[in-house]
Amino acid sequence: MPIVRIVTAIALLWTAIAPQLALAAPHKAKRPNIIFILNDDQRYDAMGFLDPALETPNMDRMAREGVYFPNAFVTTALCSPSRASILTGQYMHNHGVADNNIKFRPGTFFFPQALQEAGYSTAFIGKWHMGGHGDDPQPGFDHWISFKGQGNYLPVNDQGVRHKLNINGEHVEQPGYITDNLNSYAMDWLKGRKADEPFFLYLSHKAVHADFIPAERHKDLYSRESIKLPGSMADTPENYEGKPMWVKNQRNSWHGVDFPYHSTLDVVDYKLRYNQTLAAVDEGIGDILDYLDATGQMDNTIVVMMGDNGFMFGEHGLIDKRNAYEESMKVPFIAMGGGMAKGRVNTDLIANIDIAPTFLELAGASQGEAKFDGISFMAQLMGMERQGPWREGLNYEYFWEYNYPHTPTTLALRGDRYKYIQYHGVWDTEELYDLQNDPFEMNNLIASPDHQDVVSRMREGLFANFGSEDGRAYVTFTERNGQGAVLRNSNGSEAADFPDRWMRDGTEDDLRDNLKTEGGKKANDQSDH
């Protein structure tokens, strides 16, 4: 979307409420209730006040009456690693959940355990998705409702078998459309809890993960004409000038616009269904806000909404996430309530690894011996004066998966102005972008003579920031002091083609065979449970 619209939206929010900042009430001594709403694959700009193709009145209200962070990121743009970073406050290489199949180490500390110790009533409702296809209740939660793996939008599969939910260790049939079910379960828990206990509710939606299926009432919402595709989607020499080879190659793959999910999927229709599917999430937020208003709890309840990672709809010819481009790693982050100063826009860099320390500070709970890579941004959240400087950069990491081999191991440093990206295990170029002048990352400055000092500093910073305190081995890489042996003979052989055995025309029977082993499943295990 045009950067002008984002800047304009921020300016309007700020102009409307700037006078209130001086009058903002201080953070209350009474421990606040906390509601954390995590939406799956929600892009940073998938909110109505940023995208005219969307209607999200309740998200818009949160930004208008609370705080909006336009520079919120995840440190790994993949479901399980990002969710693990939220719960542990750690980078992926420290918590060890490097993909959607790896389980937590026994004894891993989840920050809701500290909330329990501090006297909070806690509940987890929704998508867990860490450790393959498990749905068992996890430490830190008094109340538990979840499902295996990605879950299902609809309650019955194509064979007429009804999907199951795990409610406090007992498997029950999924009653209906999953977003509505999760919203309903969340409301039931809020209404049924003990009034004298502070509470923490973690509402973790399946939506808007692919394949997008909107609620029946939203299937006619919006039109194709409302969807605008990015200019970088076009297959032109200009769009791929300076881009890594893997980006152009991925265009024709499972996560590219030429062969998306090995199908003839239309990206416009795909984005339309995404927007439609998000509508039920916004309605559920509205139900929660209305309940807090009606019961007089808004002043002592902080409501936070965030995405677990972004999603690409054609940028650079790609779909999905995993890479370190803005549309992949940047997420929406809005909050309101709890006495915070209203209508603010805070441009500090915050991340999923900051959730744990922030929520514990809000609750006055101790982290004990747990180690966090993140830092608390309670002051920014509540509208208080921050003590000391804030971070100037944030690391990003993604480790190659055999399931989706077209995205390489990616290591990046995202600063206030520049972003540096390097790749591990592939013969390809690094990337450097001036986000101030090039917000859509079209002009790779890695070879620019005027930016070599920036390149050197960011290479050094990336390596220094990824040190592992406990000495565990992970994907190793060496600090760069140059571009490496990357030169080629212009009169020599052309770049290699993909193997013939991988080529398809879209009519074969094996186009989706990779799904048979997705999420840690064996090829012969296609059941829900």
Side-chain angles (χ1 to χ4, degrees), residues 13 60-67 335-337 340-344:
L13 281 169
D60 297 354
R61 177 192 170 188
M62 288 184 65
R64 185 174 62 250
E65 298 184 18
V67 60
M336 69 174 291
M340 71 175 61
K342 295 184 177 181
R344 293 169 293 117

Side-chain angles (χ1 to χ4, degrees), residues 131-198:
H133 280 244
D135 63 2
D136 295 333
Q138 297 295 322
F141 299 102
D142 304 315
H143 184 67
W144 178 268
I145 301 177
S146 191
F147 41 75
K148 291 188 175 185
Q150 296 287 359
N152 301 275
Y153 284 108
L154 303 179
V156 180
N157 67 18
D158 294 339
Q159 288 73 46
V161 178
R162 187 170 288 269
H163 302 298
K164 300 291 183 66
L165 304 178
N166 185 322
I167 300 182
N168 294 320
E170 179 182 354
H171 286 104
V172 302
E173 292 185 343
Q174 179 178 326
Y177 184 65
I178 192 62
T179 306
D180 292 344
N181 293 163
L182 299 179
N183 287 331
S184 178
Y185 285 129
M187 291 300 300
D188 289 345
W189 184 79
L190 287 173
K191 294 175 181 178
R193 65 179 184 80
K194 295 180 180 179
D196 59 346
E197 291 180 341

Side-chain angles (χ1 to χ4, degrees), residues 189-242:
W189 184 79
L190 287 173
K191 294 175 181 178
R193 65 179 184 80
K194 295 180 180 179
D196 59 346
E197 291 180 341
F199 67 84
F200 170 67
L201 169 62
Y202 188 159
L203 175 56
S204 178
H205 279 292
K206 169 181 172 58
V208 276
H209 194 281
D211 284 333
F212 317 125
I213 301 178
E216 188 66 33
R217 63 187 180 278
H218 297 140
K219 286 187 174 180
D220 295 323
L221 192 64
Y222 310 128
S223 67
R224 282 179 54 90
E225 288 69 30
S226 67
I227 306 301
K228 308 301 180 185
L229 297 179
S232 65
M233 179 173 164
D235 187 4
T236 64
E238 294 79 13
N239 278 348
Y240 287 105
E241 178 69 28

Side-chain angles (χ1 to χ4, degrees), residues 197-367:
E197 291 180 341
F199 67 84
F200 170 67
L201 169 62
Y202 188 159
L203 175 56
S204 178
H205 279 292
K206 169 181 172 58
V208 276
H209 194 281
D211 284 333
F212 317 125
I213 301 178
E216 188 66 33
R217 63 187 180 278
H218 297 140
K219 286 187 174 180
D220 295 323
L221 192 64
Y222 310 128
S223 67
R224 282 179 54 90
E225 288 69 30
S226 67
I227 306 301
K228 308 301 180 185
L229 297 179
S232 65
M233 179 173 164
D235 187 4
T236 64
E238 294 79 13
N239 278 348
Y240 287 105
E241 178 69 28
K243 278 285 182 288
M245 291 182 290
W246 74 262
V247 175
K248 179 63 183 291
N249 286 336
Q250 185 171 316
R251 181 185 183 92
N252 184 2
S253 79
W254 181 267
H255 285 151
V257 298
D258 285 354
F259 206 18
Y261 308 122
H262 297 171
S263 74
T264 58
L265 176 147
D266 180 88
V267 177
V268 172
D269 287 339
Y270 197 49
K271 183 62 162 62
L272 176 62
R273 284 192 282 123
Y274 176 94
N275 289 354
Q276 293 168 337
T277 303
L278 186 62
V281 174
D282 188 74
E283 289 176 351
I285 293 173
D287 291 342
I288 290 173
L289 300 182
D290 289 346
Y291 171 76
L292 296 176
D293 285 334
T295 56
Q297 297 182 78
M298 184 65 79
D299 287 342
N300 197 50
T301 302
I302 298 168
V303 184
V304 173
M305 190 209 80
M306 181 182 183
D308 70 339
N309 47 245
F311 202 86
M312 305 184 79
F313 284 100
E315 289 83 4
H316 313 297
L318 309 180
I319 60 173
D320 194 67
K321 56 260 187 181
R322 291 175 167 82
N323 59 69
Y325 295 128
E326 292 288 274
E327 295 82 6
S328 172
M329 67 179 290
K330 183 183 281 192
V331 294
F333 194 103
I334 50 179
M336 69 174 291
M340 71 175 61
K342 295 184 177 181
R344 293 169 293 117
V345 176
N346 188 296
T347 59
D348 285 345
L349 289 172
I350 64 169
N352 52 352
I353 57 174
D354 301 329
I355 294 296
T358 300
F359 285 2
L360 293 193
E361 185 176 8
L362 285 167
S366 171
Q367 71 183 65

